[in-house]
Amino acid sequence: MIKEGIPLATDHVHKDVAMVRATVLGPVVQALKARGEDTDAFLSVFDLSQALVKDPTFYIRNDVVYRAFAAAAKLRKDQSFCASVGRNINLTEFLPFGGPLKEATTIGGFFSRFTQAVSNETTSVSQSLFIEDSTAYFSAKRRFAPSASPAHCDGFMIGIWITFLHAALDFRWDPSSVLVRMCDPIVLPHEFHGIRAIRSNDRGFSIRFPSAWLTMPLNEEVSSEPTDDLVGAQLDMLAPRGFVEAIQVILRKHICEADLNVDKAAELCGFSRSALTRRLAKFDTTIVDILTDLKMEAAKDALANSNATVQNIALSLGYSDATAFSRAFRKRTGRSPRAYKLSTKSKENL
């Protein structure tokens, strides 16, 4: 058996925080908007906004995505809504880094390059291409137990891949040679290019098709952007690496919320307080340390780039008053907030 492509993430700590790039919701949100739905209200239910869904550096928990896809189908009263959105995706705009896989000249090359490029989209789902004799299997496997049904999300992805195969093969398309396994086939459109779909579990999906198809040429060249040499701001496009960084990514967005305490932080990350405490202990840190670091990060930014008073910054970060904030800031940085602000202004004047 030959295996092409690579798993999405190999570090065992990644599976503890199931995250994916928020832009995966973009096509569904656009489709809702095109149908006259209030997308701002729709996104607010999941504590999201249009800006965040368009931000390629922003990651959210996979379960949030699954709930959002299900909610979109419910809103449209159409079980196959998400799969239908997937089948109308412009791949050149949706694949990793927003561009086509220019170096791929065959269907197999496209699948192989995709499994490598998509490693930067999520930290918790592996996608791979297997070839066994005359049969190829493209599969997505979750390394976590989802708390919400991923059926509509899987339908969306299957909609993309079946449509791609159908278009790439043209007159060679043979639906009797295709078998899809997924948690709930009801989310696919009826007579979806003639394929057969059967029920499986919620830990992933697979598409079986003739391995001979992999050698078929594509009509136009496509490629993914290599990530080996990314520097500077480009590194922000890569998925969070490691458990602590993943926790920081989740909590950074909420750091200025007044009710953000240890229990709320754990809940946002999908853990109980005790479970998150135990996991962070393995990395010699705590929830409080992470929250404090993020508050200091936000404080430095506000001091350097805004005219907000120390009192206002303190209150916005959940401190009772400027004194408590100043004490915490000095402990972390060795300087008072006012001294830090003056130092940044001095650098600007140099």
Side-chain angles (χ1 to χ4, degrees):
M1 182 167 63
I2 302 172
K3 179 179 179 181
E4 295 184 2
I6 59 174
L8 287 175
T10 56
D11 190 333
H12 71 280
V13 299
H14 296 178
K15 64 183 180 181
D16 292 326
V17 182
M19 300 179 70
V20 65
R21 199 188 300 275
T23 51
V24 71
L25 289 174
V28 168
V29 173
Q30 290 173 11
L32 288 175
K33 186 174 183 179
R35 289 161 176 77
E37 301 291 354
D38 185 345
T39 51
D40 288 329
F42 173 80
L43 289 170
S44 68
V45 173
F46 305 97
D47 200 19
L48 294 170
S49 65
Q50 300 278 356
L52 290 177
V53 169
K54 294 177 181 178
D55 183 357
T57 69
F58 185 70
Y59 289 79
I60 54 179
R61 291 170 53 207
N62 286 62
D63 284 328
V64 174
V65 171
Y66 301 157
R67 288 194 289 271
F69 272 97
K74 183 177 181 180
L75 181 62
R76 294 302 303 165
K77 298 179 181 179
D78 180 1
Q79 286 279 13
S80 64
F81 175 72
C82 296
S84 296
V85 173
R87 70 190 297 183
N88 289 295
I89 285 290
N90 183 336
L91 291 184
T92 63
E93 297 177 357
F94 183 68
L95 289 176
F97 306 105
L101 301 174
K102 292 181 180 177
E103 294 177 6
T105 57
T106 65
I107 291 175
F110 182 89
F111 273 101
S112 182
R113 291 179 183 281
F114 177 84
T115 59
Q116 297 178 58
V118 80
S119 63
N120 297 312
E121 302 301 303
T122 179
T123 63
S124 53
V125 180
S126 62
Q127 298 195 26
S128 56
L129 178 66
F130 289 85
I131 304 170
E132 187 174 27
D133 298 328
S134 61
T135 305
Y137 301 85
F138 176 70
S139 65
K141 296 182 180 179
R142 297 180 179 87
R143 294 192 291 274
F144 66 99
S147 63
S149 172
H152 291 282
C153 183
D154 287 355
F156 171 74
M157 296 305 301
I158 292 168
I160 291 175
W161 287 110
I162 293 300
T163 301
F164 163 72
L165 283 172
H166 179 264
L169 289 161
D170 197 12
F171 66 91
R172 294 176 290 258
W173 172 251
D174 177 12
S176 67
S177 299
V178 179
L179 177 65
V180 170
R181 294 178 183 271
M182 61 184 303
C183 63
D184 195 351
I186 197 174
V187 303
L188 296 182
H190 293 299
E191 301 300 322
F192 186 28
H193 295 307
I195 67 165
R196 183 164 62 101
I198 62 176
R199 188 178 296 274
S200 183
N201 58 45
D202 64 2
R203 300 304 285 268
F205 68 84
S206 68
I207 303 173
R208 189 188 75 187
F209 56 91
S211 58
W213 289 0
L214 296 173
T215 63
M216 299 293 180
L218 296 178
N219 293 328
E220 52 186 86
E221 295 185 350
V222 288
S223 83
S224 64
E225 180 180 336
T227 60
D228 292 341
D229 299 318
L230 294 186
V231 295
Q234 290 175 297
L235 290 173
D236 292 334
M237 297 291 288
L238 301 180
R241 299 303 188 198
F243 183 74
V244 174
E245 185 176 350
I247 295 298
Q248 290 171 333
V249 169
I250 293 172
L251 297 181
R252 183 173 285 111
K253 171 176 173 286
H254 301 274
I255 200 61
C256 290
E257 295 178 3
D259 63 343
L260 183 61
N261 54 29
V262 171
D263 291 321
K264 177 69 179 296
E267 178 185 350
L268 289 169
C269 296
F271 294 93
S272 66
R273 176 174 178 169
S274 58
L276 184 56
T277 298
R278 286 195 302 272
R279 291 179 184 274
L280 289 175
K282 297 178 182 179
F283 300 92
D284 296 321
T285 190
T286 66
I287 308 174
V288 172
D289 285 339
I290 290 176
L291 289 175
T292 302
D293 287 341
L294 292 176
K295 286 183 179 182
M296 293 304 105
E297 176 186 290
K300 288 179 180 179
D301 181 66
L303 289 167
N305 301 305
S306 77
N307 294 320
T309 65
V310 173
Q311 175 73 11
N312 287 339
I313 293 173
L315 295 177
S316 71
L317 292 174
Y319 289 94
S320 57
D321 53 42
T323 300
F325 165 64
S326 296
R327 186 162 50 246
F329 191 89
R330 184 186 292 275
K331 183 177 180 180
R332 289 282 171 148
T333 67
R335 288 182 287 180
S336 70
R338 296 185 188 282
Y340 181 86
K341 188 177 185 70
L342 288 173
S343 69
T344 60
K345 298 302 180 184
S346 298
K347 291 179 181 179
E348 290 179 2
N349 295 328
L350 290 178

